[in-house]
């Protein structure tokens, strides 16, 4: 099919960026041009240039529009901030209320049906929208609160968990024993590699642990593996599932952003409720136990826990340079643990830290022989169960990670991570990872 770049001007249509009609018309013209082109990998140089010009033009308009009208749009979508919409609900509502601002449900369904290399990159447009909302002084904090509310799935499962003390999900097994919520990562075939299902199950489990008044604290540990290389051994987490990233199944909204704004932020701050005058957040102490390794997202997890125990033969790494993506909020958090030099070595240079080396002790509170992990866990949980621990961890977290600073970081992360997952280098790298074992 032959298409000419002249079908869309290099500069966006004239008109004020506040005019929704101008935005909708520019988006329609860009979509018409893209629809007339082959899938991205099959485009020739001229077609790539035409697509790039069209996308740059409409994305500039969307950026300007969000800079001018983020608060207005958010108030419209949330009825003056009286409704709490999660990020997935928010982008869908925006697609209906403001045509051309974000991709439609149909466009996103088409994107989800493609491999990462074949996608148009429409999640970048979601990133532009969410960056604008998270930057806004009133909308941003409200959206963060919305993401701290318990999920409907957790509320449905809460009576079952309160009664039985057990909930088994695909990626996480949750058990309550003696006031401790034990969250066991149980993706035994893929070394607990993360995907959208793991994020769904982890947020559900964190919500249940926080909402159940019988739970005083939570512990996260990896279960025993059936994977050939680690059969019968516990593994903490291998990070993002690169096979699924290559196949197009690691979404921006439902994985990369939900993970940071959802269960990880709930571990730090608690779950948001309409409860006591003392606090609208229910928070509890959390501990992690690392067996074998904590890679990528697994290492990011360690940065939100109150106590981290590691087996002496385990290691920690953030292979961001190797994968080409941003390691969640690690760029925001890691420096305060390790200092700037080690943080750069780990994030930019891919340095791996053995649990028993000195620099790792900034991330790990205790290192014990593998055979001593169970006893060490029980002893550490007992120490974390003091009456004043909860109030003090709340104040430490507030001092170290104020919500406004976290919101500013996540605003920029929303766009920069979207750009990275569609970078040519990332698509090439995850394509090679995707061809190998998980």
């Amino acid at each position: 099919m032959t298409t000419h770049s002249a079908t869309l001007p290099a500069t966006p249509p004239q008109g004020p960026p506040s005019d929704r009609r101008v935005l909708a018309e520019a988006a329609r013209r860009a979509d018409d041009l893209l629809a007339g082109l082959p899938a991205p990998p099959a485009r020739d140089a001229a077609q790539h240039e035409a697509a790039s010009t069209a996308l740059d033009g409409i994305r500039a308009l969307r950026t300007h529009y969000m800079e001018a009208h983020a608060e207005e749009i958010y108030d419209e979508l949330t009825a003056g901030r009286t409704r709490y919409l999660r990020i997935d609900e928010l982008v869908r509502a925006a697609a209906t209320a403001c045509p051309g601002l974000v991709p439609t449900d149909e466009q996103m369904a088409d994107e989800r049906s493609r491999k990462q290399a074949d996608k148009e990159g429409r999640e970048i447009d979601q990133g532009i929208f969410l960056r604008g909302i998270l930057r806004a002084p009133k909308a941003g904090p409200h959206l963060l609160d919305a993401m701290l509310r318990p999920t409907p799935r957790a509320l449905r499962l809460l009576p079952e968990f309160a009664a039985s003390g057990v909930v088994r999900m695909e990626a996480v097994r949750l058990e309550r024993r003696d006031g401790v919520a034990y969250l066991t990562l149980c993706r035994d075939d893929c070394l607990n590699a993360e995907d959208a299902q793991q994020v769904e199950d982890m947020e559900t489990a964190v919500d249940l642990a926080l909402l159940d008044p019988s739970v005083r604290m939570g512990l996260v540990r990896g279960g025993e593996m059936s994977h050939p290389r680690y059969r019968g051994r516990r593994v903490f987490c291998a990070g993002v599932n690169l096979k699924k990233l290559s196949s197009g199944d690691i979404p921006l909204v439902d994985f990369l952003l939900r993970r940071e704004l959802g269960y990880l932020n709930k571990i730090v701050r608690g779950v948001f409720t309409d409860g006591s005058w003392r606090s609208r957040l229910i928070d509890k102490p959390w501990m992690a136990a690392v067996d074998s390794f904590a890679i990528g997202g697994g290492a990011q997890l360690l940065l939100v826990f109150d106590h981290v125990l590691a087996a002496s033969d385990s290691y920690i790494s953030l292979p961001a340079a190797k994968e080409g993506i941003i390691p969640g909020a690690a760029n925001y958090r890691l420096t305060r643990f390790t200092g700037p030099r080690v943080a750069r070595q780990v994030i930019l240079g891919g340095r791996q830290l053995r649990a028993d080396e000195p620099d790792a002790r900034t991330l790990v509170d205790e290192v014990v022989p593998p055979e001593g992990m169970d006893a060490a866990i029980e002893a550490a949980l007992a120490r974390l169960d003091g009456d004043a621990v909860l109030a003090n961890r709340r104040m430490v977290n507030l001092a170290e990670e104020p919500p406004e600073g976290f919101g500013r970081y996540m605003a920029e992360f929303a766009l920069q991570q979207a750009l990275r997952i569609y970078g040519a280098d990332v698509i090439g790298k995850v394509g090679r990872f995707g061809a190998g074992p998980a």
Side-chain angles (χ1 to χ4, degrees):
M1 183 178 295
T2 302
T3 318
H4 303 288
S5 61
T7 58
L8 187 80
T11 56
Q14 295 302 305
S18 60
D19 191 334
R20 289 192 182 187
R21 292 171 298 176
V22 171
L23 180 64
E25 174 62 17
R28 184 192 65 77
R29 289 169 63 84
D31 288 339
D32 287 348
L33 182 139
L34 295 173
L37 295 173
R43 292 171 187 168
D44 61 27
Q47 292 166 337
H48 273 295
E49 180 62 27
S52 178
T53 299
L55 290 169
D56 282 348
I58 186 58
R59 286 169 179 164
L61 270 183
R62 286 169 175 148
T63 298
H64 294 320
Y65 191 87
M66 290 305 299
E67 288 172 349
H69 295 287
E71 299 281 24
E72 170 193 326
I73 295 165
Y74 191 78
D75 277 358
E76 178 182 341
L77 299 177
T78 62
R81 301 194 305 280
T82 62
R83 299 172 62 209
Y84 288 94
L85 299 181
R86 290 172 65 85
I87 52 175
D88 60 317
E89 298 169 322
L90 192 68
V91 295
R92 288 199 302 270
T96 301
C98 189
L101 183 58
V102 292
T104 65
D105 286 349
E106 293 76 17
Q107 287 171 330
M108 291 309 302
D110 179 64
E111 287 280 270
R112 286 192 295 271
S113 70
R114 304 184 186 192
K115 294 181 179 180
Q116 195 71 8
D118 295 340
K119 294 185 180 185
E120 205 63 71
R122 295 189 186 275
E123 288 174 301
I124 295 170
D125 302 289
Q126 293 178 327
I128 292 170
F129 170 74
L130 290 169
R131 179 179 66 168
I133 298 297
L134 287 165
R135 278 178 167 179
K138 295 178 181 178
H142 191 272
L143 179 56
L144 292 179
D145 284 349
M147 291 301 295
L148 289 176
R149 295 179 80 87
T151 65
R153 184 189 185 201
L155 293 174
R156 289 196 304 271
L157 289 172
L158 183 58
E160 173 191 339
F161 179 62
S164 69
V166 178
V167 172
R168 291 181 173 86
M169 295 170 280
E170 182 179 339
V172 181
R173 184 174 66 251
L174 174 64
E175 299 174 84
R176 183 187 65 238
R177 301 196 303 271
D178 298 324
V180 178
Y182 292 84
L183 283 67
T184 303
L185 305 175
C186 56
R187 280 284 180 79
D188 59 291
D189 60 330
C190 63
L191 307 179
N192 288 326
E194 298 175 301
D195 59 11
Q197 186 63 53
Q198 194 259 19
V199 170
E200 167 76 18
D201 291 352
M202 275 296 289
E203 184 163 14
T204 301
V206 169
D207 280 351
L208 291 171
L210 291 170
L211 291 169
D212 184 351
S214 299
V215 171
R216 298 189 306 277
M217 68 191 77
L219 168 77
V220 178
R221 190 180 187 187
E224 292 185 2
M225 298 292 103
S226 63
H227 190 285
R229 290 203 304 268
Y230 288 85
R231 192 180 305 278
R233 291 178 57 185
R234 286 184 180 267
V235 164
F236 189 68
C237 179
V240 65
N241 190 318
L242 295 172
K243 279 189 174 182
K244 293 200 172 182
L245 180 55
S246 178
S247 66
D249 296 316
I250 297 293
L252 175 72
V253 168
D254 290 328
F255 177 93
L256 295 165
L257 290 174
R258 177 182 178 179
R259 181 180 182 275
E260 305 301 326
L261 297 174
Y263 83 86
L264 286 176
N265 200 26
K266 288 174 176 177
I267 290 174
V268 175
R269 298 181 208 286
V271 67
F272 188 88
T273 70
D274 298 317
S276 168
W277 59 266
R278 294 179 177 86
S279 175
R280 299 183 73 185
L281 293 164
I282 301 172
D283 59 326
K284 296 173 183 178
W286 287 89
M287 176 178 160
V290 179
D291 301 276
S292 300
F293 50 72
I295 300 173
Q300 296 164 35
L301 274 169
L302 305 186
L303 306 179
V304 300
F305 287 96
D306 303 298
H307 191 88
V308 177
L309 179 69
S312 56
D313 61 349
S314 64
Y315 67 89
I316 301 164
S317 70
L318 281 169
K322 183 178 180 182
E323 296 167 357
I325 59 177
I326 299 169
N331 306 53
Y332 178 63
R333 295 178 172 130
L334 185 61
T335 297
R336 72 171 182 255
F337 287 87
T338 66
R341 294 267 54 92
V342 173
R344 282 169 170 77
Q345 291 164 17
V346 171
I347 293 173
L348 304 182
R351 179 183 171 188
Q352 189 178 104
L353 297 176
R354 301 187 316 276
D356 58 358
E357 67 177 286
D359 282 340
R361 294 309 301 270
T362 60
L363 296 173
V364 175
D365 298 283
E366 294 181 74
V367 179
V368 300
E371 63 275 12
M373 285 288 283
D374 290 344
I377 287 170
E378 295 308 313
L381 286 171
R383 292 195 299 273
L384 205 59
D385 199 20
D387 290 341
V389 168
L390 181 57
N392 280 289
R393 62 94 63 183
R394 183 180 302 163
M395 300 309 294
V396 167
N397 285 342
L398 182 62
E400 290 186 341
E401 193 172 302
E404 56 271 21
F406 176 71
R408 285 195 302 271
Y409 177 89
M410 289 309 304
E412 194 60 26
F413 175 82
L415 178 57
Q416 296 306 320
Q417 186 73 303
L419 291 169
R420 279 284 74 218
I421 61 176
Y422 289 100
D425 62 316
V426 173
I427 289 172
K429 288 173 183 176
V430 301
R432 293 192 294 274
F433 283 121

